[in-house]
């Protein structure tokens, strides 16, 4: 596609720090938004234009967005370690997704932006068993996944009259990220390497492949799209986590014993990204989770 001016919300996060270089490599002019002026140096260090605005205040966003053709929202505040197991610890992340996305959609519409790409999670899908889940599969948003669905509803209000609102249901991100770090550390201490039925399905995605998909989304028509690598059996994923952790055995926590966010992770999800690939040509370079997905912590 032609070079466009893209503003990234969440440029220093797990996805953002991969999205920024991917956009630059594709020839786009990139800006990053900071929540306050004290964060501007961190944005500038990425080699992009730093701007400050309040993601919850549409009026402060409008003048910033007028300088851009597209906006990519990958801002999250995922709790770290054991804190992610309790729903109340997701409050900041939920507000960022639900309220921040609402203000951003309003501001992008007022500013004349052409494309809005909104992050979301495939964990909002209901338990799927062996069924291949495309974008028509039923949702069962609970806990922190509710805010992801709300963000997509908000982004959809932007679409129309030549404007594209691309909403991504991104598979569970595994690499250098808080959830993977927590799982690997747990497996080192004889904790579970995965959750749910060993014969269930897990669809993961490496942060770099998620980033290349987000860049490809700039060319996609308005709609909701799955974005993930090749699904594998949970026992296979657990074996990878155990190997990274140096654990002798990949243990699981059965779904009936899980609560909160762990119950979401215990679902079987055999995700299909075929629709997005057919429309954009995107394919993950890392097709299945492997030891080299994870840094040496």
């Amino acid at each position: 596609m032609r070079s466009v001016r893209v503003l990234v919300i969440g440029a220093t996060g797990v996805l953002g720090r991969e999205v920024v270089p991917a956009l630059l490599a594709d020839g786009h002019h990139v800006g990053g938004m900071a929540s306050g002026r004290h964060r501007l140096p961190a944005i500038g260090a990425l080699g992009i234009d730093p701007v400050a605005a309040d993601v919850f205040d549409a009026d402060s966003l409008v003048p910033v967005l007028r300088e851009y053709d597209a906006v990519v929202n990958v801002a999250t505040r995922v709790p770290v370690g054991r804190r992610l197991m309790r729903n109340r610890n997701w409050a900041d992340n939920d507000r960022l997704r639900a309220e921040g996305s609402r203000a951003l959609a309003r501001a992008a519409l007022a500013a004349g932006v052409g494309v809005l790409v909104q992050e979301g999670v495939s964990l909002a899908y209901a338990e799927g068993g062996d069924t291949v889940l495309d974008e028509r599969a039923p949702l069962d948003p609970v806990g922190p996944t509710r805010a992801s669905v709300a963000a997509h509803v908000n982004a959809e209000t932007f679409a129309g009259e030549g404007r594209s609102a691309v909403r991504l249901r991104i598979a569970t991100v595994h690499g250098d990220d808080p959830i993977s770090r927590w799982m690997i550390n747990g497996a080192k201490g004889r904790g579970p390497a995965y959750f749910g039925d060993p014969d269930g399905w897990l669809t993961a995605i490496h942060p770099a492949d998620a980033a290349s998909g987000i860049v490809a989304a700039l060319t996609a028509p308005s709609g909701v799209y799955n974005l993930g690598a090749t699904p594998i059996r949970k026992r296979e994923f657990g074996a990878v986590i155990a190997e990274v952790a140096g654990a002798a055995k990949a243990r699981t926590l059965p779904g009936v014993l899980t609560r909160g966010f762990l119950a979401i992770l215990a679902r079987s999800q055999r995700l299909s990204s075929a629709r997005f690939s057919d429309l954009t040509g995107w394919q993950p370079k890392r097709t299945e989770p492997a030891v080299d997905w994870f840094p040496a912590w």
Side-chain angles (χ1 to χ4, degrees), residues 52-177:
D54 182 354
V55 73
F56 300 109
D57 182 357
D59 291 338
S60 79
L61 289 168
V62 171
V64 171
L65 290 172
R66 285 196 178 118
E67 302 300 318
Y68 293 92
D69 306 301
V71 58
V72 169
N73 186 15
V74 290
T76 60
R77 289 179 187 159
V78 176
V80 177
R82 294 178 63 86
R83 295 186 69 252
L84 62 79
M85 291 191 288
R86 294 186 178 275
N87 287 342
R88 66 171 179 264
N89 294 329
W90 289 82
D92 288 344
N93 186 74
D94 292 349
R95 181 171 181 251
L96 190 57
R97 275 194 173 131
E99 298 180 23
S101 65
R102 184 186 307 118
L104 183 61
R106 286 175 50 206
L109 186 60
V113 171
V115 179
L116 169 62
V117 179
Q118 173 63 52
E119 167 270 353
V121 295
S122 66
L123 290 173
Y125 283 116
E127 161 68 37
D130 287 328
T131 302
V132 176
L133 305 179
D134 64 16
E135 292 81 359
R136 297 167 295 182
L139 300 178
D140 182 18
V142 296
T145 65
R146 290 194 187 102
S148 173
V149 174
H152 282 187
V153 171
N154 292 334
E156 187 176 12
T157 65
F158 171 82
E161 298 182 4
R163 299 180 304 274
S164 296
V166 180
R167 291 91 71 197
L168 299 175
R169 291 177 182 156
I170 302 173
T172 309
V173 175
H174 283 292
D176 187 3
D177 67 281

